[in-house]
């Protein structure tokens, strides 16, 4: 989606849209340009207030009285209320929800503008700030703008708020809650059709919080848009000349930015007419000449692919149509999940569910919570959203225990199924925190050990079992907790159990969200089911053997883990392509896996096959992958002529980190397979 920024009436823009987890910039337009931001600067006042709360200088329960001199018209409702005193919490809520000017002036007097200025500078912002209280008319000698800033710094601030940097978890929740009650949804948020202040949760497919600023010459909007798997921060600032009115084109452009964010998040636009109009506006490339082998070969030789390993097969016959180092073992990234998923379906079976059990302990009132490797088990109350689909819930298990046992005095936490194999040394420890894309792989953990059970990439702990124990004990009234010893044997009666979604749904999830924790757990369960243990040596041995049972040549493979995170994994493009081809032909577990691949135009992540590559429509079904050494993609593609091809493409570099342009080159090549693949026959 291309956005043109209107410049009528000398309209200036500063815009940045960035994926908070990958760091990918989705849109950028003069992000360092400093503009008036109207009420946006109030965010620094709220952040400073909560920092003082964290430092024990203030309490949000503190009540303050307004002064007549602080009353100002414009945004807000306190000027309409009879109540002269409010708590600091209520002042923050009014500012977050309706940008209340009266509340802002009162809070600025309590906190102090100088303190806010020093705080903003300490956060590292040179150009974004709150300059003054709200005054009208502005007296001579006072700052021209209430606040100012640029998109680069304000996106950084949004990311800081979402991650909770610089504030306690409690204060971070309060601040996001204030912003999540924001009533002004006229700008970027207008496309999501949210309900007034009631959008501080998932609604219409997204979770949205923001802060806006409006003047007769300014429209500014900063915030966060999230799905369960992705988070996008944005800042969109527009300022035009006094005496002119650019609101119409500016608000239209703000809405376009919202639609771009929605596309990047894979959000399904619920308005059928708007969706149809947008689809119709995308130019559909139709071949103007016969399929070209030269164009296809040029795409395969693109320097952005670095050191590519490529194999393209005829899906029906298996005939090799295009190959570049097709038998050279390569790092896989998350394309490894196709092998892990197929192995899980083959060994465990599509209907298998992973149990979490409670056994009677050795003494009255003692129970044993036995982890079965279900990392999707959730601490979230039943019925509320979590990251994983249809998880089992701790509160269900606790209710069953209370029915059978009554008072519980001790809980023994048995996580030994995966003992000693919870972390591979080749994984980056920053993946646990702050980046949050992989936890310790414990047999007893909840929500993949996420701090935030809804978000994909969320910091993980060093003690996932402790998190389970804390939440389970709270549901049972606070019994004593202890970990099972290595030599203990529990033979007590099974008192309760809950079970995960079936394996076929779990495999769909690892192909959809590329969840690393679930992939690793499935790999370990496959190894155990085949007679091994949960060690990585066993995972290597048993996943390799399972792949061989599926008819794949794995003689050159080095399968280190189940997720593809390790840079030490090595699998050839031929092995991956043959797995996909067997699935396409309907062979057993590979067929079940291939049926669950994500498809362009619907289920595949929206940052793939964008721009001109949208021409593929729904012709591609594939698994994506990325680690430092490779951008990978493997699946099927339908040519313009209606033929199905199987492909495995690895844009690889074992010396330097691959860049986003390598990913784009991978998409470009597969698009060429769609447009020119008939020339291979």
């Amino acid at each position: 989606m291309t956005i043109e920024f209107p410049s009528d009436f000398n309209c200036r823009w500063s815009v940045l849209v960035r994926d908070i987890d990958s760091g990918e910039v989705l849109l950028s337009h003069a992000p360092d340009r400093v503009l008036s931001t109207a009420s946006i600067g109030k965010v620094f006042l709220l952040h400073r207030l909560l920092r003082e709360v964290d430092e024990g200088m203030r309490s949000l329960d503190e009540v303050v009285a307004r002064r007549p001199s602080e009353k100002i018209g414009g945004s807000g409702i306190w000027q309409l209320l009879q109540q002269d005193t409010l708590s600091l919490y209520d002042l923050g809520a009014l500012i977050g929800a309706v940008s209340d000017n009266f509340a802002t002036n009162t809070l600025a007097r309590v906190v102090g503008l100088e303190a806010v200025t020093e705080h903003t500078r300490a956060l590292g912002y040179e150009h974004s700030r709150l300059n003054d209280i709200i005054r009208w008319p502005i007296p001579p000698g006072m700052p021209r703008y209430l606040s100012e800033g640029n998109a680069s710094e304000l996106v950084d601030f949004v990311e800081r708020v979402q991650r909770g940097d610089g504030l306690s978890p409690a204060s971070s929740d309060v601040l996001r809650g204030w912003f999540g009650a924001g009533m002004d949804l006229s700008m970027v948020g207008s496309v999501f059709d949210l309900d007034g202040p009631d959008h501080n949760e998932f609604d219409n497919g997204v979770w949205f919080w923001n802060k806006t600023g409006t003047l007769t010459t300014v429209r500014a909007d900063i915030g966060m848009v999230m799905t369960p798997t992705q988070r996008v921060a944005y800042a969109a600032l527009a300022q035009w000349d006094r005496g002119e009115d650019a609101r119409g084109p500016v608000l239209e452009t703000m809405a376009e930015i919202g639609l771009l964010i929605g596309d990047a998040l894979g959000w399904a636009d619920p308005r059928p007419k708007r969706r149809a109009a947008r689809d119709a506006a995308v130019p559909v490339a139709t071949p103007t000449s016969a399929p070209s082998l030269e164009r296809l070969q040029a795409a395969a030789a693109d320097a952005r692919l670095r050191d590519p390993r490529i194999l393209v097969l005829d899906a029906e016959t298996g005939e090799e149509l295009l190959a570049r180092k097709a038998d050279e073992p390569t790092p896989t990234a998350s394309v490894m999940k196709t092998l892990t998923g197929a192995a899980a379906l083959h060994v465990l079976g599509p209907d298998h569910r992973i149990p979490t059990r409670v056994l009677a302990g050795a003494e009255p009132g003692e129970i044993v919570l036995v982890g079965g490797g279900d990392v999707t088990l959730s601490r979230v109350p039943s019925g509320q959203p979590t990251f994983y689909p249809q998880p089992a819930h701790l509160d269900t298990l606790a209710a069953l225990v209370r029915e059978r046992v009554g008072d519980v005095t001790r809980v023994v936490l048995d996580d030994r199924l995966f003992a000693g194999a919870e972390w591979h040394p080749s994984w980056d420890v920053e993946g646990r925190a702050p980046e949050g894309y992989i936890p310790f792989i414990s047999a007893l953990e909840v929500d993949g050990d996420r701090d935030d059970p809804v978000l994909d990439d969320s910091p993980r702990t060093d003690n996932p079992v402790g998190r389970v124990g804390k939440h389970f004990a709270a549901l049972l009234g606070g019994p004593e907790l202890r970990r099972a010893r290595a030599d203990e044997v529990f033979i007590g009666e099974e008192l309760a159990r809950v079970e995960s979604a079936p394996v076929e749904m779990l495999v769909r999830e690892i192909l959809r969200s590329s969840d690393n924790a679930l992939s690793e757990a499935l790999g370990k369960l496959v190894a155990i089911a085949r007679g091994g243990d949960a060690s990585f040596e066993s995972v290597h041995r048993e996943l390799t053997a399972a792949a061989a049972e599926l008819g794949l040549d794995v003689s050159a493979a080095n399968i280190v883990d189940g997720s593809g995170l390790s840079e030490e994994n090595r699998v050839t493009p031929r092995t991956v392509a043959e797995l996909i081809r067997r699935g396409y032909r309907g062979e057993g577990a590979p067929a079940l896996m291939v049926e669950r691949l994500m498809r362009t135009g619907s289920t595949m992540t929206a940052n793939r096959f964008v721009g001109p590559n949208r021409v593929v429509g729904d012709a591609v079904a594939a698994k994506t992958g990325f680690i430092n050494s490779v951008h990978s993609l493997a699946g099927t593609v339908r040519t313009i002529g209606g033929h199905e091809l199987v492909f495995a493409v690895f844009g690889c570099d074992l010396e330097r980190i691959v860049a986003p342009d390598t990913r784009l080159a991978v998409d470009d090549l597969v698009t060429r397979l769609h447009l020119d693949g008939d020339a291979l026959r």
Side-chain angles (χ1 to χ4, degrees), residues 396-407 476 495:
T396 301
L397 194 61
L400 294 170
V401 169
R402 288 195 301 270
E403 289 178 8
R404 292 291 305 274
V405 178
D407 291 337
L476 295 173
L495 303 174

Side-chain angles (χ1 to χ4, degrees), residues 102 118 279 478 559:
F102 205 161
E118 292 177 356
D279 290 344
I559 299 175

Side-chain angles (χ1 to χ4, degrees), residues 60 244 247 304 322 339:
L60 290 178
E244 305 289 355
R247 280 178 293 182
R304 295 174 299 165
L322 178 67
L339 284 166

Side-chain angles (χ1 to χ4, degrees), residues 588-604:
L592 294 174
M593 186 276 295
V594 167
E595 288 171 3
R596 287 156 178 79
L597 290 172
M598 298 297 102
R599 186 165 291 278
T600 51
S602 56
T603 54
M604 187 176 291

Side-chain angles (χ1 to χ4, degrees), residues 584 637-645 674 678:
Y584 173 81
V637 56
R638 185 177 64 252
T639 70
I640 288 290
H643 298 101
E644 290 286 344
L645 307 178
H674 170 64
D678 293 309

Side-chain angles (χ1 to χ4, degrees), residues 462-477:
D462 291 335
N463 183 16
V465 180
R467 193 196 294 272
V468 178
K470 170 188 172 183
H471 288 279
F472 196 52
L475 292 166
L476 295 173

